[in-house]
Amino acid sequence: MSVLHKSTSWDKALAEAFGASLSELYEQAGSPDASAALTRAMELRSWLALAEEQVVRVRDRVHESTAADRDLGELSADDLRMDAQWLEAALAGRDGYVAALGELLRTMPSPGSRVEHPVQFTQPKLTTALPPAPAPTGAGAVRARRP
């Protein structure tokens, strides 16, 4: 199943923020004139879908291994410790993607807003000259020789 068809906890927020369905957003993100915010949001959404899938897999595996109808002899503390580590890693990844998406949506320009002035990446050059430095005291004075 493609990432597009896996739902995430942020699908609704993304559709609302960009004003289009996920399939339209992925299509727009693939075009050369897509905004950086849209491209990044769709990349983050793809990674979030994978991270949430991992969280669900581990959760389901733990639920299955601890189900009430399971034989207690099949329960393994080592397996549960490993699943806890996997779950911790999957949740940390998910939390990172959620934080990045939240920050992106919070800081991106509003739809329809345009930059009125081009961004300047180089420092402007100063064209004014500084006044001449004052001459040191005693400049041009000839020192007398000592015998």
Side-chain angles (χ1 to χ4, degrees):
M1 181 182 281
S2 81
V3 173
L4 174 62
H5 295 98
K6 294 175 185 170
S7 64
T8 74
S9 58
W10 278 70
D11 289 352
K12 184 178 178 182
L14 287 167
E16 287 176 5
F18 290 100
S21 70
L22 287 177
S23 58
E24 292 170 329
L25 293 177
Y26 272 109
E27 188 176 320
Q28 290 172 16
S31 75
D33 56 338
S35 71
L38 176 61
T39 302
R40 289 183 183 119
M42 295 294 79
E43 289 173 354
L44 285 168
R45 188 223 171 256
S46 296
W47 289 108
L48 177 62
L50 294 173
E52 288 185 346
E53 178 184 16
Q54 294 304 310
V55 170
V56 169
R57 282 184 182 185
V58 175
R59 179 202 62 199
D60 292 350
R61 186 169 51 238
V62 169
H63 285 180
E64 183 182 318
S65 68
T66 59
D69 60 345
R70 287 289 296 255
D71 180 3
L72 290 178
E74 295 175 5
L75 195 57
S76 166
D78 287 336
D79 288 346
L80 288 173
R81 269 191 291 280
M82 181 62 76
D83 284 336
Q85 290 173 346
W86 276 94
L87 185 59
E88 185 177 353
L91 286 170
R94 180 196 177 275
D95 292 347
Y97 297 128
V98 164
L101 267 171
E103 181 69 10
L104 177 70
L105 294 182
R106 186 182 67 74
T107 60
M108 72 179 196
S110 61
S113 69
R114 303 182 90 184
V115 176
E116 294 297 325
H117 305 285
V119 177
Q120 185 175 356
F121 292 106
T122 59
Q123 291 290 331
K125 295 186 189 246
L126 293 177
T127 56
T128 58
L130 294 175
T137 56
V142 178
R143 288 187 143 180
R145 291 182 133 200
R146 289 190 182 191

